[in-house]
Amino acid sequence: MAEATTGTDGGAESDDKPIKERKNRLYPVVSDELAAVMKSDWADTELRGLSPLPQSSYAAARRATLSARFPGERIVVPAGNLRTRSNDTEYPFRASTEYAYLTGDQTQDAVLVLEPQRGGGHAATAYLLPRSNRENGEFWLDGQGELWVGRRHSLTEAEQLLGLPCKDVRKAADALREATGPVRVVRGHDAGIEAALTDKVTAERDTELTEFLSEMRLVKDEFEIAELQKACDSTARGFEDVVKALDKAEATSERYIEGTFFLRARVEGNDVGYGSICAAGPHATTLHWVRNDGPVRSGELLLLDAGVETHHLYTADVTRTLPISGTFSPLQRKIYDAVHESQQAGIDAVKPGAAYRDFHEASQRVLAEKLVEWGLLEGPVERVLELALQRRWTLHGTGHMLGMDVHDCAHARTETYVDCTLEPGMVLTVEPGLYFQTDDLSVPEEYRGIGVRIEDDILVTDDGNRNLSQGLPRGAAEVEAWMAALRG
Ligand code: GLY
Ligand code: MN
Ligand code: MN
C-alpha cells in the first residue's frame, strides 16, 4: 500500500487545504510545474441521464413519514465517517442505517437534512462529498482524493440517482450552525455535525428521533422484503459452499468456513451482515463464537450462524447446526430434534395479531418439556417456565427483528417491539437453541460440549408467515440428505 500525501485528514475538510501544505515524506514539495501538469488534460466524465436508484421512491415515502412526525423541525441524519484502523488506513465504511434507509445512498461523510417549510412539510437535501477538486490538487494529493479511493458521483449525478437536491457536505456544518429553530439529530455517527448542533439539540429529543426511525422500520415495504429474500437466497448458497468445503475445513480450521462463506457474501452481496459464527464442536456452546480459529472434527457438530448483506444493506441471519461427518449421532440427533420441534412451534406462532412474545413462549415451552423429559430439570413444566429454569441451557431470547441491521429496530420502545402485536411486513428470526457447556456438571457427561441452534428468517404475511430462509433444510433427515447430495 502506498502512502498518500496527507494521510486521513477527513474528506469533508480537505478541499480547503492549499496545495503546498499537502506534504509527503518522499516529495516534500510539489513544484508549480507538476501542479500545473496534474491539473490539466482530464476528460469530462460527467454521467448524464442516470436512472434513479431502485429504492428512491420508497426512500421518498419514508422521508414523508418522518416529516409528518416532526412538523416544523429541522431533522439531521448523518451517514457517518471513516474509522481509522491504523494511521492512514481505515475500516471498510458502512453508512448508518438511518441515512441509507432515508436516501438509498451509502457514501461516507454525507448528511441528510430535512428543512421545515413555511407552508408545512419539509424540503430534503443530501449533503455529499462532491467530486475531488483538481485545481488545488486534492484529487491526487489527498488520501481521500478520487485518484486514491475512486471516482465519486458529482452532485448532479447524485441528484439523478437519489431524486433529491444535493449540496457540498463541506458546507453542511456551517449551514446547520447558522440555522435557527428546533433541530433534532441522529447521534452516534458524525461527531463534527453533532458539534455544530451542540447548543441547539437535547438528548431527550434526539432519542425520540432515533426511536421513531427504528420504529418506522418495524414493518418492511416491498422493496425491503425483496432484499431480505435476496439476502436469504445468497445465504443459502453460502451454506452450501460451506458444506462442500467441510473436508478442507477439517484439514485446516474454522477459518476455512468463515472464508468460504465470506466469498459468497462478497461476490453476491456487499459483505456479511455480522461476524460469522463458525463454531465447531464445543465452540457451538459459545453464543457469539467469532474467533473461528478452532479445529473442525468429524463426529462433532458445526454451528454456522451467518448472513449475507445485500448491496442495499439488508442482511439475512440464519443458523444451521450440521453433523460434520454428515450423520448425527443418536444423542446429537435427540438434542437437534428437540430444538427443531421448538423452532417449529415458534414459527407456527408467528402470524398477524399474535403477540410478539408468543413465538418465544411457544419455543421455550417445548424446550422446557424436553429438559424435564430428559431428567435434566425437575417438573412440572409450568413451574420450570414460571421460573425460567430452562434458561441454564437455552440462554438467549428466541428471536429478534431483522432488516438492515441484524438486530434490527434496536432503538424501538418496548411497547412497540417486544410488547407489540405482529403485523404483516414484520420480519423476525426464530432461533431457539440448547447449549451444554463443557464444564457443566449438572448434565450427564455425554451432553457436554454439544450446542445446537436453528435459526430462520420469518416474514409475517396477511394470513400467517413465510419462511424466507426455507431454501435450507431444517429437519435432521433432510439436513443429512442435503449434505450427502452436496458432498457427492
Ligand atoms: N447472529 C446473531 C443472532 O443470531 O442474533
Ligand atoms: Mn439472530
Ligand atoms: Mn444468528
Side-chain angles (χ1 to χ4, degrees):
M1 219 178 163
E3 233 182 315
T5 304
T6 49
T8 15
D9 57 357
E13 284 158 23
S14 59
D15 191 40
D16 298 332
K17 191 172 274 186
I19 198 162
K20 291 287 182 202
E21 285 178 21
R22 299 178 192 275
K23 298 199 191 317
N24 177 295
R25 277 186 292 196
L26 208 51
Y27 294 109
V29 172
V30 177
S31 67
D32 291 343
E33 289 78 1
L34 176 61
V37 165
M38 290 303 289
K39 262 189 233 183
S40 54
D41 292 331
W42 301 103
D44 173 10
T45 60
E46 181 73 12
L47 301 167
R48 294 170 180 90
L50 291 173
S51 304
L53 294 176
Q55 71 274 51
S56 61
S57 60
Y58 295 94
R62 297 166 193 163
R63 292 192 298 271
T65 303
L66 182 60
S67 165
R69 168 65 181 81
F70 297 107
E73 303 189 42
R74 186 172 279 99
I75 307 293
V76 182
V77 186
N81 316 120
L82 290 173
R83 259 181 274 158
T84 302
R85 185 174 192 275
S86 70
N87 302 320
D88 59 350
T89 56
E90 292 88 23
Y91 288 103
F93 178 72
R94 194 227 190 236
S96 75
T97 293
E98 293 91 344
Y99 175 79
Y101 178 71
L102 292 168
T103 62
D105 182 45
Q106 296 181 32
T107 58
Q108 70 204 45
D109 298 331
V111 186
L112 172 71
V113 179
L114 300 189
E115 297 281 345
Q117 300 297 286
R118 264 181 212 290
H122 289 77
T125 304
Y127 287 88
L128 304 171
L129 273 182
R131 304 241 15 230
S132 291
N133 190 324
R134 291 198 193 281
E135 282 305 305
N136 70 3
E138 180 213 355
F139 86 103
W140 70 287
L141 288 169
D142 187 281
Q144 290 303 313
E146 287 178 281
L147 191 138
W148 288 89
V149 299
R151 188 188 187 282
R152 290 191 277 270
H153 284 298
S154 71
L155 296 179
T156 316
E157 290 168 356
E159 287 186 344
Q160 297 168 62
L161 291 168
L162 306 184
L164 275 176
C166 295
K167 292 187 181 159
D168 187 340
V169 71
R170 290 155 183 168
K171 306 195 167 47
D174 284 344
L176 290 171
R177 219 174 271 117
E178 284 157 22
T180 53
V183 188
R184 298 184 196 240
V185 63
V186 177
R187 297 190 182 194
H189 302 309
D190 190 322
I193 292 294
E194 285 177 38
L197 292 169
T198 190
D199 54 356
K200 300 181 197 293
V201 294
T202 68
E204 194 184 6
R205 287 159 42 78
D206 291 349
T207 298
E208 280 174 359
L209 171 61
T210 302
E211 281 171 359
F212 186 72
L213 282 167
S214 239
E215 291 171 3
M216 275 179 68
R217 295 191 292 106
L218 285 165
V219 174
K220 273 64 185 174
D221 59 39
E222 59 184 349
F223 176 84
E224 298 185 283
I225 292 167
E227 282 294 302
L228 286 165
Q229 184 65 66
K230 269 191 235 168
C232 287
D233 293 347
S234 287
T235 297
R237 289 188 281 276
F239 275 61
E240 289 174 5
D241 297 338
V242 167
V243 170
K244 289 185 198 157
L246 277 178
D247 291 350
K248 289 191 171 126
E250 280 182 61
T252 53
S253 75
E254 294 165 340
R255 290 170 194 263
Y256 205 95
I257 294 167
E258 181 183 337
T260 300
F261 188 81
F262 179 72
L263 179 63
R264 180 66 69 169
R266 191 60 189 148
V267 168
E268 292 195 5
N270 177 57
D271 200 342
V272 288
Y274 54 94
S276 300
I277 297 165
C278 308
H283 290 159
T285 65
T286 301
L287 296 179
H288 285 174
W289 176 260
V290 291
R291 288 184 221 157
N292 301 339
D293 58 358
V296 177
R297 298 190 195 96
S298 184
E300 295 185 330
L301 296 175
L302 167 68
L303 186 157
L304 175 60
D305 181 344
V308 172
E309 179 188 69
T310 63
H311 294 293
H312 298 299
L313 307 184
Y314 288 81
T315 189
D317 180 12
V318 176
T319 306
R320 289 292 180 269
T321 305
L322 309 172
I324 293 163
S325 68
T327 312
F328 291 100
S329 73
L331 179 60
Q332 289 168 349
R333 171 87 186 235
K334 177 176 99 164
I335 297 169
Y336 186 93
D337 285 346
V339 174
H340 182 214
E341 193 180 320
S342 157
Q343 195 210 21
Q344 190 57 52
I347 292 173
D348 291 344
V350 174
K351 52 190 160 201
Y356 175 84
R357 291 177 190 273
D358 287 355
F359 77 94
H360 171 68
E361 285 169 11
S363 284
Q364 293 295 306
R365 174 171 291 277
V366 172
L367 295 178
E369 286 168 359
K370 298 292 175 188
L371 291 164
V372 170
E373 186 186 313
W374 299 341
L376 302 186
L377 282 175
E378 200 181 317
V381 169
E382 294 309 328
R383 175 180 166 275
V384 168
L385 288 169
E386 197 177 316
L387 301 176
L389 300 178
Q390 78 283 1
R391 276 189 70 187
R392 166 124 181 164
W393 301 290
T394 67
L395 296 181
H396 54 79
T398 312
H400 51 83
M401 297 292 178
L402 182 72
M404 298 181 83
D405 293 330
V406 60
H407 295 158
D408 209 36
C409 312
H411 299 287
R413 291 164 300 164
T414 303
E415 57 265 40
T416 59
Y417 189 158
V418 292
D419 286 342
C420 80
T421 300
L422 297 181
E423 289 176 47
M426 289 179 166
V427 177
L428 47 97
T429 69
V430 179
E431 52 173 309
L434 282 174
Y435 311 91
F436 301 102
Q437 307 299 320
T438 52
D439 55 353
D440 185 345
L441 301 182
S442 72
V443 297
E445 202 170 344
E446 64 267 25
Y447 282 69
R448 296 178 201 160
I450 295 180
V452 174
R453 176 163 68 252
I454 311 173
E455 176 173 26
D456 281 83
D457 301 342
I458 311 296
L459 166 69
V460 183
T461 59
D462 288 335
D463 55 0
N465 70 60
R466 178 152 60 88
N467 184 345
L468 301 179
S469 43
Q470 66 192 348
L472 287 169
R474 290 188 293 132
E478 289 75 21
V479 166
E480 289 177 348
W482 170 75
M483 292 182 73
L486 287 169
R487 294 171 105 179

